[in-house]
């Protein structure tokens, strides 16, 4: 019995010492602590936002404390880059520069010991291996072997477009359901930022997801854009007065949306010179504009272009006669997100997005195009 008691006492002491050591280790890294290894490089610097991290003998460490989870991008020797989702965890990361793309981006990195990155990886792997994604990958690889301009290339291009849409639909349903069923998941919020809020779920579903996230998720950098979107949807619900704005026209003059109140039925059209569906819709919209402009109809086009020369060229090439204004972007040296001001205020989910306003500036309908717009204007101007 004495031997057994002594053995138990020693075992208890060993466990106690190990527990103390474990607690000391956790206290040492109160926040996040990343131990990293870069394969293919020995020395240099890694830059992430305002932090500069030394790379020595292929290794680096990075630590800090966060109020909530966020994503960070790292630039290695101003040549390679990779991204991480950061939370207050201690984990290891291995980055192989030999896996970099032509642009230096490294998406295939190894992360060990991070629950949040494990969750991200699991979802990525699931979505990567659904049949729709495999079909899209196969078509993309086939496109690399085809000669541009041939009938085979054109057919494959059309098949690629259909496959992308099929993947989008499956992905968005999966992410929506995942978010609804996992309100404590920061990664659910991370993915929800990519959803088109009025396309991939109803307003009621989106509201339930955003309002239902736990306090921990709400502390993350992924939550605020979702909350802003939700507020934007509330501001631009049918029956609400559309958010007012003042922007520069293509002639360099100030234009204020509310200046048309009391006089015009207005279609606010968010577009860009690089948006193919936008510009494909303009021959029809030009006919509509011609038919109704003398009856009190006006179009206010808000471009998402940052290159104003391309914007003005597109206006000239397409022969657009309605009011043209340019949205404004926050400075790039500020804090993300870098989305344009007015399109963000409207929570427009995609380009083109349209908002039809009555003469008092109240939203009558949203996202009207083609025949649907025709029927609505016929109803108004009959």
């Amino acid at each position: 019995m004495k031997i057994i008691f002594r053995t138990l006492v020693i075992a208890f002491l060993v466990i106690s010492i190990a527990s103390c050591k474990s607690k000391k280790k956790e206290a040492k890294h109160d926040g996040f602590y990343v131990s990293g290894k870069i394969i293919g490089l020995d020395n240099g610097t890694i830059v992430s936002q305002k932090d500069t991290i030394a790379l020595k003998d292929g290794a680096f460490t990075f630590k800090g404390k966060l109020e909530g989870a966020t994503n960070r991008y790292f630039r290695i020797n101003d040549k390679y880059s990779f991204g991480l989702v950061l939370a207050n965890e201690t984990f290891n990361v291995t980055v192989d520069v030999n896996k970099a793309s032509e642009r230096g981006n490294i998406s295939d990195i190894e992360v060990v010991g991070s629950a949040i990155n494990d969750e991200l990886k699991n979802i990525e792997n699931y979505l990567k291996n659904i049949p729709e994604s495999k079909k899209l990958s196969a078509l993309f690889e086939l496109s690399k072997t085809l000669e541009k301009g041939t009938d085979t290339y054109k057919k494959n291009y059309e098949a690629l477009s259909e496959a992308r849409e099929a993947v989008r639909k499956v992905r968005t349903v999966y992410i929506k359901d995942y978010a609804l069923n996992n309100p404590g998941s920061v990664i659910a919020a991370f993915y929800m930022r990519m959803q088109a809020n009025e396309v991939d779920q109803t307003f009621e579903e989106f509201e339930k997801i955003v309002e239902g996230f736990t306090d921990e998720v709400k502390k993350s950098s992924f939550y605020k854009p979702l909350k802003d979107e939700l507020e934007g949807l509330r501001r631009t619900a049918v029956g609400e007065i559309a958010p007012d704005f003042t922007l520069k026209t293509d002639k360099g003059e100030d234009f204020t949306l509310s200046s048309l109140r009391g006089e015009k039925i207005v279609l606010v059209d968010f577009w860009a010179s690089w948006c193919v569906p936008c510009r494909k819709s303009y021959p029809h919209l030009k006919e509509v504009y011609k038919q109704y402009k003398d009856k009190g109809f006006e179009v206010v086009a808000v471009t998402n272009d940052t290159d104003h020369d391309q914007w003005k060229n597109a206006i000239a090439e397409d022969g657009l006669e309605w009011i043209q204004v340019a949205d404004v972007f926050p400075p790039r040296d500020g804090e993300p997100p870098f989305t344009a001001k007015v399109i963000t205020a409207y929570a427009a989910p995609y380009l083109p997005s349209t908002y039809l306003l009555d003469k008092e500036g109240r939203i009558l309908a949203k996202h009207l195009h083609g025949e649907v717009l025709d029927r609505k204007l016929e109803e108004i101007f009959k």
Side-chain angles (χ1 to χ4, degrees), residues 248-252 269 271-274 279 282 286 301-305 307-326:
K248 293 289 185 183
T249 70
D250 54 325
K251 305 294 190 298
D269 172 38
W271 76 294
S273 64
W274 42 261
R279 297 182 68 174
Y282 287 153
K286 286 167 70 175
V302 184
T303 185
N304 205 238
D305 278 288
D307 187 326
H308 286 187
D309 288 336
Q310 289 185 1
W311 166 49
K312 292 174 184 178
N313 288 340
I315 294 171
E317 287 172 6
D318 294 351
L320 307 181
E321 298 178 357
W322 46 80
I323 297 168
Q324 298 285 345
V325 293

Tab-separated table of all heavy atoms in Angstrom, residues 248-252 269 271-274 279 282 286 301-305 307-326:
chain	number	residue	atom	x	y	z
A	248	LYS	N	-19.409	63.705	-58.694
A	248	LYS	CA	-18.954	64.430	-59.885
A	248	LYS	C	-19.441	63.733	-61.154
A	248	LYS	O	-19.377	62.505	-61.274
A	248	LYS	CB	-17.430	64.503	-59.914
A	248	LYS	CG	-16.811	65.357	-58.818
A	248	LYS	CD	-17.054	66.840	-59.041
A	248	LYS	CE	-16.320	67.687	-58.003
A	248	LYS	NZ	-16.617	69.135	-58.176
A	249	THR	N	-19.901	64.548	-62.105
A	249	THR	CA	-20.307	64.004	-63.396
A	249	THR	C	-19.073	63.792	-64.282
A	249	THR	O	-17.960	64.175	-63.918
A	249	THR	CB	-21.264	64.963	-64.124
A	249	THR	OG1	-20.523	66.125	-64.538
A	249	THR	CG2	-22.418	65.369	-63.235
A	250	ASP	N	-19.306	63.205	-65.456
A	250	ASP	CA	-18.209	63.021	-66.409
A	250	ASP	C	-17.705	64.352	-66.951
A	250	ASP	O	-16.623	64.419	-67.544
A	250	ASP	CB	-18.642	62.107	-67.560
A	250	ASP	CG	-19.913	62.603	-68.240
A	250	ASP	OD1	-20.784	63.156	-67.553
A	250	ASP	OD2	-20.035	62.425	-69.458
A	251	LYS	N	-18.454	65.411	-66.707
A	251	LYS	CA	-18.016	66.762	-67.118
A	251	LYS	C	-17.329	67.497	-65.962
A	251	LYS	O	-16.946	68.657	-66.103
A	251	LYS	CB	-19.216	67.584	-67.587
A	251	LYS	CG	-20.035	66.946	-68.702
A	251	LYS	CD	-19.242	66.840	-69.993
A	251	LYS	CE	-20.124	66.425	-71.161
A	251	LYS	NZ	-20.756	65.106	-71.017
A	252	GLY	N	-17.201	66.825	-64.806
A	252	GLY	CA	-16.538	67.429	-63.660
A	252	GLY	C	-17.425	68.312	-62.805
A	252	GLY	O	-16.944	69.029	-61.919
A	269	ASP	N	-28.669	53.498	-61.698
A	269	ASP	CA	-28.036	52.320	-62.313
A	269	ASP	C	-26.565	52.255	-61.916
A	269	ASP	O	-25.774	53.124	-62.279
A	269	ASP	CB	-28.171	52.422	-63.832
A	269	ASP	CG	-27.382	51.339	-64.566
A	269	ASP	OD1	-27.356	50.205	-64.074
A	269	ASP	OD2	-26.785	51.656	-65.616
A	271	TRP	N	-23.022	50.629	-62.398
A	271	TRP	CA	-22.374	49.934	-63.508
A	271	TRP	C	-20.880	50.209	-63.493
A	271	TRP	O	-20.363	50.895	-62.614
A	271	TRP	CB	-22.978	50.396	-64.833
A	271	TRP	CG	-22.516	51.763	-65.279
A	271	TRP	CD1	-22.769	52.958	-64.659
A	271	TRP	CD2	-21.705	52.055	-66.422
A	271	TRP	NE1	-22.182	53.987	-65.355
A	271	TRP	CE2	-21.518	53.475	-66.441
A	271	TRP	CE3	-21.135	51.290	-67.442
A	271	TRP	CZ2	-20.779	54.119	-67.427
A	271	TRP	CZ3	-20.397	51.938	-68.426
A	271	TRP	CH2	-20.222	53.333	-68.421
A	272	ALA	N	-20.155	49.667	-64.487
A	272	ALA	CA	-18.732	49.954	-64.691
A	272	ALA	C	-18.382	49.621	-66.137
A	272	ALA	O	-19.045	48.792	-66.772
A	272	ALA	CB	-17.858	49.131	-63.745
A	273	SER	N	-17.349	50.258	-66.642
A	273	SER	CA	-16.953	50.041	-68.036
A	273	SER	C	-16.539	48.599	-68.286
A	273	SER	O	-16.675	48.092	-69.396
A	273	SER	CB	-15.804	50.983	-68.401
A	273	SER	OG	-14.642	50.687	-67.639
A	274	TRP	N	-16.009	47.930	-67.245
A	274	TRP	CA	-15.535	46.554	-67.389
A	274	TRP	C	-16.633	45.520	-67.152
A	274	TRP	O	-16.398	44.315	-67.277
A	274	TRP	CB	-14.380	46.287	-66.425
A	274	TRP	CG	-14.583	46.869	-65.040
A	274	TRP	CD1	-14.065	48.030	-64.554
A	274	TRP	CD2	-15.370	46.311	-63.984
A	274	TRP	NE1	-14.477	48.245	-63.252
A	274	TRP	CE2	-15.277	47.202	-62.880
A	274	TRP	CE3	-16.141	45.161	-63.850
A	274	TRP	CZ2	-15.932	46.983	-61.670
A	274	TRP	CZ3	-16.794	44.931	-62.644
A	274	TRP	CH2	-16.675	45.834	-61.572
A	279	ARG	N	-23.012	46.656	-69.943
A	279	ARG	CA	-22.938	47.277	-71.266
A	279	ARG	C	-23.799	46.543	-72.293
A	279	ARG	O	-24.304	47.154	-73.243
A	279	ARG	CB	-21.480	47.376	-71.699
A	279	ARG	CG	-20.678	48.278	-70.752
A	279	ARG	CD	-19.258	48.460	-71.156
A	279	ARG	NE	-19.135	49.227	-72.398
A	279	ARG	CZ	-17.973	49.617	-72.902
A	279	ARG	NH1	-16.847	49.329	-72.258
A	279	ARG	NH2	-17.927	50.286	-74.040
A	282	TYR	N	-27.339	48.050	-72.367
A	282	TYR	CA	-27.555	49.444	-72.736
A	282	TYR	C	-28.278	49.681	-74.061
A	282	TYR	O	-29.028	50.668	-74.181
A	282	TYR	CB	-26.242	50.219	-72.667
A	282	TYR	CG	-25.814	50.455	-71.234
A	282	TYR	CD1	-24.480	50.619	-70.893
A	282	TYR	CD2	-26.758	50.489	-70.206
A	282	TYR	CE1	-24.099	50.831	-69.576
A	282	TYR	CE2	-26.388	50.693	-68.891
A	282	TYR	CZ	-25.062	50.858	-68.582
A	282	TYR	OH	-24.706	51.060	-67.279
A	286	LYS	N	-31.273	52.242	-73.848
A	286	LYS	CA	-31.303	53.440	-74.690
A	286	LYS	C	-32.671	53.602	-75.360
A	286	LYS	O	-33.194	54.727	-75.484
A	286	LYS	CB	-30.192	53.380	-75.747
A	286	LYS	CG	-28.805	53.641	-75.176
A	286	LYS	CD	-27.707	53.280	-76.154
A	286	LYS	CE	-27.641	54.224	-77.322
A	286	LYS	NZ	-26.475	53.923	-78.197
A	301	ALA	N	-26.634	57.129	-63.828
A	301	ALA	CA	-25.696	56.008	-63.844
A	301	ALA	C	-24.519	56.310	-62.919
A	301	ALA	O	-23.851	57.332	-63.072
A	301	ALA	CB	-25.202	55.757	-65.262
A	302	VAL	N	-24.263	55.422	-61.963
A	302	VAL	CA	-23.172	55.590	-60.996
A	302	VAL	C	-22.104	54.547	-61.313
A	302	VAL	O	-22.330	53.348	-61.134
A	302	VAL	CB	-23.669	55.412	-59.553
A	302	VAL	CG1	-22.538	55.676	-58.561
A	302	VAL	CG2	-24.860	56.320	-59.269
A	303	THR	N	-20.959	55.020	-61.803
A	303	THR	CA	-19.924	54.061	-62.185
A	303	THR	C	-19.086	53.619	-60.992
A	303	THR	O	-18.833	54.388	-60.065
A	303	THR	CB	-18.988	54.629	-63.260
A	303	THR	OG1	-18.083	53.600	-63.668
A	303	THR	CG2	-18.171	55.797	-62.734
A	304	ASN	N	-18.659	52.357	-61.058
A	304	ASN	CA	-17.756	51.795	-60.062
A	304	ASN	C	-16.321	51.789	-60.577
A	304	ASN	O	-15.444	51.161	-59.999
A	304	ASN	CB	-18.198	50.366	-59.718
A	304	ASN	CG	-17.756	49.913	-58.344
A	304	ASN	OD1	-17.055	48.920	-58.198
A	304	ASN	ND2	-18.164	50.637	-57.314
A	305	ASP	N	-16.079	52.506	-61.680
A	305	ASP	CA	-14.740	52.586	-62.266
A	305	ASP	C	-13.812	53.421	-61.390
A	305	ASP	O	-14.201	54.477	-60.887
A	305	ASP	CB	-14.806	53.238	-63.647
A	305	ASP	CG	-15.208	52.271	-64.740
A	305	ASP	OD1	-14.388	51.419	-65.080
A	305	ASP	OD2	-16.343	52.392	-65.221
A	307	ASP	N	-10.720	53.936	-62.946
A	307	ASP	CA	-10.062	54.545	-64.098
A	307	ASP	C	-11.103	55.385	-64.849
A	307	ASP	O	-11.929	54.853	-65.593
A	307	ASP	CB	-9.489	53.470	-65.015
A	307	ASP	CG	-8.636	54.052	-66.137
A	307	ASP	OD1	-8.966	55.165	-66.617
A	307	ASP	OD2	-7.652	53.398	-66.543
A	308	HIS	N	-11.075	56.688	-64.638
A	308	HIS	CA	-12.102	57.548	-65.222
A	308	HIS	C	-11.960	57.726	-66.728
A	308	HIS	O	-12.938	58.055	-67.409
A	308	HIS	CB	-12.116	58.890	-64.502
A	308	HIS	CG	-12.718	58.804	-63.132
A	308	HIS	ND1	-12.969	59.901	-62.340
A	308	HIS	CD2	-13.130	57.725	-62.409
A	308	HIS	CE1	-13.503	59.516	-61.204
A	308	HIS	NE2	-13.608	58.197	-61.212
A	309	ASP	N	-10.784	57.485	-67.261
A	309	ASP	CA	-10.618	57.535	-68.713
A	309	ASP	C	-11.391	56.387	-69.368
A	309	ASP	O	-12.068	56.585	-70.393
A	309	ASP	CB	-9.137	57.466	-69.099
A	309	ASP	CG	-8.393	58.755	-68.780
A	309	ASP	OD1	-9.056	59.812	-68.703
A	309	ASP	OD2	-7.158	58.712	-68.611
A	310	GLN	N	-11.289	55.184	-68.771
A	310	GLN	CA	-12.036	54.040	-69.299
A	310	GLN	C	-13.542	54.279	-69.182
A	310	GLN	O	-14.316	53.902	-70.072
A	310	GLN	CB	-11.630	52.768	-68.560
A	310	GLN	CG	-10.231	52.293	-68.886
A	310	GLN	CD	-9.899	50.955	-68.239
A	310	GLN	OE1	-10.726	50.354	-67.557
A	310	GLN	NE2	-8.686	50.476	-68.460
A	311	TRP	N	-13.945	54.880	-68.083
A	311	TRP	CA	-15.360	55.212	-67.863
A	311	TRP	C	-15.867	56.153	-68.959
A	311	TRP	O	-16.889	55.889	-69.596
A	311	TRP	CB	-15.494	55.835	-66.479
A	311	TRP	CG	-16.782	56.535	-66.175
A	311	TRP	CD1	-18.038	56.051	-66.371
A	311	TRP	CD2	-16.934	57.843	-65.604
A	311	TRP	NE1	-18.970	56.980	-65.950
A	311	TRP	CE2	-18.325	58.084	-65.470
A	311	TRP	CE3	-16.040	58.816	-65.170
A	311	TRP	CZ2	-18.823	59.276	-64.936
A	311	TRP	CZ3	-16.543	59.984	-64.627
A	311	TRP	CH2	-17.920	60.219	-64.520
A	312	LYS	N	-15.145	57.222	-69.208
A	312	LYS	CA	-15.562	58.203	-70.218
A	312	LYS	C	-15.521	57.614	-71.629
A	312	LYS	O	-16.380	57.929	-72.466
A	312	LYS	CB	-14.678	59.441	-70.123
A	312	LYS	CG	-14.893	60.224	-68.840
A	312	LYS	CD	-13.899	61.364	-68.688
A	312	LYS	CE	-14.070	62.074	-67.348
A	312	LYS	NZ	-13.078	63.154	-67.152
A	313	ASN	N	-14.546	56.739	-71.886
A	313	ASN	CA	-14.481	56.067	-73.186
A	313	ASN	C	-15.698	55.184	-73.406
A	313	ASN	O	-16.262	55.139	-74.513
A	313	ASN	CB	-13.195	55.240	-73.300
A	313	ASN	CG	-11.955	56.098	-73.451
A	313	ASN	OD1	-12.035	57.256	-73.841
A	313	ASN	ND2	-10.799	55.530	-73.132
A	314	ALA	N	-16.113	54.471	-72.341
A	314	ALA	CA	-17.274	53.588	-72.454
A	314	ALA	C	-18.546	54.390	-72.705
A	314	ALA	O	-19.409	53.972	-73.491
A	314	ALA	CB	-17.419	52.760	-71.175
A	315	ILE	N	-18.677	55.554	-72.056
A	315	ILE	CA	-19.841	56.419	-72.277
A	315	ILE	C	-19.919	56.822	-73.748
A	315	ILE	O	-20.987	56.767	-74.380
A	315	ILE	CB	-19.760	57.682	-71.390
A	315	ILE	CG1	-19.872	57.311	-69.915
A	315	ILE	CG2	-20.860	58.683	-71.766
A	315	ILE	CD1	-19.575	58.464	-68.961
A	316	ALA	N	-18.759	57.204	-74.300
A	316	ALA	CA	-18.716	57.626	-75.710
A	316	ALA	C	-18.970	56.455	-76.648
A	316	ALA	O	-19.746	56.567	-77.613
A	316	ALA	CB	-17.364	58.269	-76.004
A	317	GLU	N	-18.329	55.327	-76.392
A	317	GLU	CA	-18.468	54.155	-77.264
A	317	GLU	C	-19.909	53.661	-77.312
A	317	GLU	O	-20.409	53.262	-78.365
A	317	GLU	CB	-17.556	53.034	-76.763
A	317	GLU	CG	-16.079	53.276	-77.029
A	317	GLU	CD	-15.205	52.229	-76.354
A	317	GLU	OE1	-15.766	51.255	-75.787
A	317	GLU	OE2	-13.967	52.384	-76.380
A	318	ASP	N	-20.603	53.681	-76.152
A	318	ASP	CA	-21.963	53.154	-76.081
A	318	ASP	C	-23.020	54.212	-76.371
A	318	ASP	O	-24.216	53.899	-76.431
A	318	ASP	CB	-22.214	52.534	-74.700
A	318	ASP	CG	-21.351	51.304	-74.459
A	318	ASP	OD1	-20.705	50.841	-75.409
A	318	ASP	OD2	-21.313	50.807	-73.309
A	319	GLY	N	-22.583	55.476	-76.546
A	319	GLY	CA	-23.523	56.546	-76.874
A	319	GLY	C	-24.554	56.786	-75.790
A	319	GLY	O	-25.751	56.905	-76.078
A	320	LEU	N	-24.109	56.865	-74.534
A	320	LEU	CA	-25.021	57.009	-73.402
A	320	LEU	C	-25.330	58.487	-73.156
A	320	LEU	O	-24.424	59.300	-72.982
A	320	LEU	CB	-24.395	56.380	-72.142
A	320	LEU	CG	-23.924	54.924	-72.313
A	320	LEU	CD1	-23.344	54.404	-71.010
A	320	LEU	CD2	-25.066	54.032	-72.796
A	321	GLU	N	-26.621	58.821	-73.121
A	321	GLU	CA	-27.043	60.219	-73.059
A	321	GLU	C	-27.550	60.643	-71.686
A	321	GLU	O	-27.807	61.826	-71.457
A	321	GLU	CB	-28.138	60.473	-74.104
A	321	GLU	CG	-27.668	60.239	-75.526
A	321	GLU	CD	-28.783	60.462	-76.534
A	321	GLU	OE1	-29.933	60.752	-76.105
A	321	GLU	OE2	-28.522	60.342	-77.745
A	322	TRP	N	-27.735	59.713	-70.777
A	322	TRP	CA	-28.286	60.062	-69.469
A	322	TRP	C	-27.191	60.562	-68.510
A	322	TRP	O	-26.023	60.607	-68.861
A	322	TRP	CB	-29.048	58.882	-68.866
A	322	TRP	CG	-28.336	57.556	-68.957
A	322	TRP	CD1	-27.344	57.099	-68.148
A	322	TRP	CD2	-28.590	56.522	-69.914
A	322	TRP	NE1	-26.972	55.833	-68.531
A	322	TRP	CE2	-27.719	55.450	-69.599
A	322	TRP	CE3	-29.480	56.372	-70.994
A	322	TRP	CZ2	-27.694	54.255	-70.336
A	322	TRP	CZ3	-29.455	55.188	-71.715
A	322	TRP	CH2	-28.577	54.156	-71.397
A	323	ILE	N	-27.591	60.907	-67.294
A	323	ILE	CA	-26.680	61.498	-66.306
A	323	ILE	C	-25.647	60.459	-65.859
A	323	ILE	O	-25.995	59.333	-65.486
A	323	ILE	CB	-27.463	62.026	-65.093
A	323	ILE	CG1	-28.410	63.152	-65.537
A	323	ILE	CG2	-26.512	62.529	-63.998
A	323	ILE	CD1	-29.428	63.545	-64.480
A	324	GLN	N	-24.380	60.855	-65.900
A	324	GLN	CA	-23.280	59.971	-65.520
A	324	GLN	C	-22.496	60.580	-64.355
A	324	GLN	O	-22.062	61.730	-64.426
A	324	GLN	CB	-22.325	59.772	-66.699
A	324	GLN	CG	-22.938	59.121	-67.915
A	324	GLN	CD	-23.147	57.620	-67.730
A	324	GLN	OE1	-22.592	57.015	-66.809
A	324	GLN	NE2	-23.948	57.028	-68.613
A	325	VAL	N	-22.333	59.806	-63.275
A	325	VAL	CA	-21.534	60.251	-62.126
A	325	VAL	C	-20.605	59.126	-61.689
A	325	VAL	O	-20.867	57.948	-61.961
A	325	VAL	CB	-22.413	60.697	-60.942
A	325	VAL	CG1	-23.184	61.957	-61.271
A	325	VAL	CG2	-23.355	59.577	-60.505
A	326	ALA	N	-19.518	59.506	-61.032
A	326	ALA	CA	-18.518	58.526	-60.578
A	326	ALA	C	-18.552	58.375	-59.068
A	326	ALA	O	-18.478	59.367	-58.333
A	326	ALA	CB	-17.125	58.955	-61.026
